């Protein structure tokens, strides 16, 4: 995703791409201090124009060629920074690996650098958000997740998970006639929460549709949606809650929880 590009450009610095201009990771006021390279990529791909576009993302190939050429030609003192940019991108799941060869893929999964939903014997939490908005509002949205765990005297575990979505930035001018770049606009979200298989939903709030419960990838999934009636608007917030019971009890030993990060995102504040 673009975070990999931003990390690399923070080390390399401003680069030129023949026929396309200059790109850098410097903050750009036009998108509330998002990286300039992100704004330029969105502008080249999505800004309204009065001609037919046939290759909206044609810049990507030349841009990556310039990034690689500059990285390979960087002075030695930048090599540790480039290594760190690549390593952190992999660890933070901005890069995922998939190989058709199962032996190689198993090795990738053993290092936790593939996209596998992991097996786990304790509690498990994996929040997945998918934007159904025409703009790029998820550039500006931050998540905060609070989990309250109650363990009864008989070992039964009940949880209350509260997810708050915040968009602190003003709206973009999305008037097509004006021709501005529409980045921050009302946000519509299809959300899924993966929890231990066999978990029972007690109650929920924040979804405009009835919560669906089903099993997938060895987990139980609670699925909902908001945004048709009550979208998350710029400078606003939305809240979703799930109260559910885990399928196991704690007899002896300690409570354990595995949280998996949604790849391609900055992650949530837990």
């Amino acid at each position: 995703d673009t975070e990999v590009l931003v990390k690399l450009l923070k080390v390399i610095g401003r680069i030129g791409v023949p026929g396309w201009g200059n790109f850098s990771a410097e903050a750009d006021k036009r998108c509330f201090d998002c990286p300039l390279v992100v704004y330029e990529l969105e502008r080249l791909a999505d800004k309204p124009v009065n001609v037919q576009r046939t290759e909206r993302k044609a810049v990507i190939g030349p841009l990556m060629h310039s990034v690689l050429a500059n990285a390979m030609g960087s002075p030695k003192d930048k090599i540790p920074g480039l290594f760190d940019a690549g390593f952190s991108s992999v660890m933070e799941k901005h890069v995922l690996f998939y190989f058709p060869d199962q032996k190689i893929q198993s090795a990738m999964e053993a290092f936790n650098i593939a996209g596998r939903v992991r097996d786990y014997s304790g509690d498990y939490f994996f929040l997945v958000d998918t934007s159904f908005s025409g703009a790029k509002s998820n550039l500006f949205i931050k998540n905060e997740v609070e989990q309250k765990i109650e363990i009864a005297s008989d070992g039964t575990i009940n949880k209350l998970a509260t997810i708050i979505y915040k968009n602190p930035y003003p709206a973009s001018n999305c008037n097509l006639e004006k021709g501005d770049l529409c980045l921050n606009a009302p946000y519509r979200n299809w959300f899924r929460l993966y929890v231990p298989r066999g978990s029972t939903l007690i109650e929920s709030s924040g979804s405009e549709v009835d919560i669906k419960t089903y099993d997938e990838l060895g987990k139980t999934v609670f699925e909902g949606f908001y945004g048709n009636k009550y979208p998350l608007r710029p400078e606003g917030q939305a809240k979703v809650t799930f109260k559910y019971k885990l399928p196991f009890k704690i007899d002896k030993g300690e409570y354990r929880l595995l949280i998996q990060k949604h790849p391609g995102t900055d992650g949530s504040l837990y």
Side-chain angles (χ1 to χ4, degrees), residues 7-254:
K7 286 178 182 290
L8 291 172
L9 287 180
K10 283 181 178 179
V11 180
I12 297 170
R14 180 180 291 264
I15 64 170
V17 181
W20 296 96
N22 296 318
F23 298 85
S24 77
E26 298 167 6
D28 194 315
K29 297 294 184 183
R30 294 173 295 178
C31 55
F32 316 114
D33 290 336
C34 79
L36 182 147
V37 65
V38 172
Y39 182 87
E40 285 300 309
L41 288 174
E42 293 297 337
R43 182 185 65 81
L44 290 167
D46 294 327
K47 186 174 180 178
V49 293
N50 58 2
V51 296
Q52 183 178 1
R53 279 193 174 120
T54 56
E55 296 185 30
R56 291 172 50 245
K57 300 184 180 181
V59 64
I60 292 177
L63 174 59
M64 292 311 299
H65 182 271
S66 291
V67 170
L68 289 171
N70 279 270
M72 298 297 286
S74 294
K76 291 183 178 179
D77 62 346
K78 289 191 175 184
I79 299 302
L82 290 170
F83 177 83
D84 183 66
F87 183 77
S88 61
S89 294
V90 171
M91 291 296 99
E92 295 169 11
K93 294 193 179 296
H94 294 294
V95 176
L96 295 177
F97 292 88
Y98 172 74
F99 293 89
D101 186 309
Q102 188 55 50
K103 288 184 178 180
I104 301 176
Q105 182 63 16
S106 295
M108 298 298 103
E109 292 174 12
F111 285 108
N112 194 28
I113 57 177
R116 178 74 62 187
V117 171
R118 294 173 61 186
D119 294 329
Y120 193 67
S121 59
D123 192 6
Y124 178 89
F125 194 96
F126 181 27
L127 176 65
V128 180
D129 295 298
T130 301
S131 172
F132 269 67
S133 308
K136 301 294 183 182
S137 301
N138 42 329
L139 274 172
F140 312 104
I141 292 171
K142 302 296 182 184
N143 294 1
E144 295 181 6
V145 180
E146 180 184 74
Q147 299 185 65
K148 292 185 177 179
I149 299 102
E150 297 180 352
I151 302 175
S153 57
D154 66 350
T156 299
I157 306 171
N158 288 318
K159 293 188 62 177
L160 176 62
T162 302
I163 304 108
I164 298 177
Y165 301 85
K166 296 180 179 181
N167 184 342
Y169 296 98
S172 301
N173 187 337
C174 294
N175 187 326
L176 291 177
E177 293 182 357
K178 192 172 186 301
D180 284 349
L181 188 57
C182 183
L183 290 177
N184 199 15
Y187 176 71
R188 305 165 67 230
N189 184 24
W190 171 37
F191 54 86
R192 286 143 292 160
L193 178 60
Y194 288 72
V195 296
R197 189 168 191 168
S199 296
T200 305
L201 183 65
I202 300 172
E203 61 183 23
S204 67
S205 66
S207 176
E208 295 178 10
V209 300
D210 291 337
I211 295 291
K212 293 182 180 179
T213 301
Y214 53 90
D215 290 341
E216 181 179 73
L217 304 175
K219 312 295 180 186
T220 288
V221 185
F222 304 139
E223 175 190 302
F225 176 88
Y226 67 79
N228 283 343
K229 296 179 181 177
Y230 307 106
L232 169 54
R233 299 187 181 279
E235 299 183 295
Q237 71 176 37
K239 182 169 76 171
V240 175
T241 67
F242 298 95
K243 185 176 182 180
Y244 57 100
K245 184 175 75 172
L246 297 186
F248 55 83
K249 298 181 178 182
I250 289 192
D251 183 14
K252 294 180 180 179
E254 58 185 6

